[in-house]
Amino acid sequence: MGAESWAAFALALLVALAVPGPDLVLVVHSATRGVREGASTAVGIVAGLMLHALLAAAGATALLVSAPGALTIVQLLGAGVLLWMGASMLRSTRSTEPEAAKGFEHQSRGGYARGFVTNATNPKALLFFAAILPQFIGHGDGAEMRTVALCAAVVLGAGSWWAVTIALIRLFGFHRSPAADRIVTLLGGVALLIIGVGLLASTVYGLISPDT
């Protein structure tokens, strides 16, 4: 890959990361509760991306997407995860138990699990590796090494992106206000529910539409 191809790939990755989605909701929500929980959530997200990267490097992503009904199953699973997490966040806003009382270790484990599950079942991540990545890999000699290099770039780029996001959230001091934490949790829960409902609706429409 030449410099122009790498620049184009970096731009495509930046756009994919910058578009607001479940990952941003989870990182913002976790980072307002502590650097450790925010970092744990980001690590979970990156671990989910690593799973997609490994599947892509092994050639399994293309097979998965081409399998009849496989993408639909991933979309339905992803929608279910988002709806469950959104509902859980909304329920937590009614809880009277202080988050700090649950312990840093518990919060960190929960943040990692949420980040990993959300990304592992994220159809957008799957389609990025299935549709966008191959455009930069090409064919011929060195395709395997280019695949590994691009997958590594995605993982490192995502890790850097979320590290900067957490730093900015902490810099602006959102973590110092209990009211801000409750508002972020409420808005995050609503956002996840909206994204989940939208994904579910589009998937169901695709199933019943006569054009598909």
Side-chain angles (χ1 to χ4, degrees), residues 105-145:
E105 185 176 355
H106 173 80
Q107 294 178 44
S108 296
R109 287 199 305 268
Y112 177 88
R114 287 191 295 271
F116 177 79
V117 171
T118 301
N119 226 271
T121 60
N122 187 353
K124 186 179 80 170
L126 179 65
L127 291 175
F128 180 89
F129 282 95
I132 304 299
L133 206 68
Q135 297 182 31
F136 297 93
I137 295 174
H139 302 283
D141 295 337
E144 293 82 2
M145 290 303 300

Side-chain angles (χ1 to χ4, degrees), residues 80-98:
V81 167
L82 294 177
L83 292 173
W84 174 73
M85 288 189 180
S88 298
M89 289 175 67
L90 291 182
R91 283 197 302 271
S92 71
T93 62
R94 300 195 298 268
S95 174
T96 57
E97 179 184 1

Side-chain angles (χ1 to χ4, degrees), residues 2-3 6 21 24 42-43 50 61 72-73 84 106 113 130 137 158 161 179 188-189 209:
W6 273 109
L24 179 62
V43 170
M50 288 180 65
T61 299
T72 299
I73 293 174
W84 174 73
H106 173 80
I137 295 174
W161 177 269
S209 174

